Amino acid sequence: MKNSDPEEQDNIIRGYLQGEAREFYLITKWIEQVVNHYSWGLNYFSEDIIQEVRLKVFVNLKDTNF
């Protein structure tokens, strides 16, 4: 969430929790950028890791534990 203001971040989080496609895509892309970084070397497991992280982010945001 580079250069985004707190209100924009709240809107993205709210949209993600409500299942909005745009916000789902944004958060997935941010997760993919981190997981697929070449230095990690997680090529074979990246899709599984992305799915797991996305689920954990969703659960923690929904429970306001993030």
Side-chain angles (χ1 to χ4, degrees):
M1 289 187 203
K2 287 184 181 179
N3 301 325
S4 59
D5 62 56
E7 185 176 332
E8 181 182 353
Q9 292 174 7
D10 288 343
N11 289 335
I12 291 170
I13 291 168
R14 252 191 309 282
Y16 181 68
L17 293 174
Q18 294 172 353
E20 298 292 331
R22 177 186 169 272
E23 286 76 6
F24 181 85
Y25 176 80
L26 281 173
I27 289 179
T28 298
K29 284 298 171 190
W30 293 329
I31 294 169
E32 286 177 352
Q33 287 176 352
V34 173
V35 170
N36 290 328
H37 193 274
Y38 69 91
S39 65
W40 294 112
L42 301 171
N43 299 339
Y44 298 111
F45 306 105
S46 65
E47 191 58 40
D48 292 336
I49 294 168
I50 292 165
Q51 295 289 339
E52 192 69 28
V53 170
R54 190 171 40 219
L55 176 62
K56 288 181 186 243
V57 167
F58 179 82
V59 168
N60 284 308
L61 285 172
K62 193 164 182 83
D63 293 340
T64 62
N65 291 330
F66 201 83

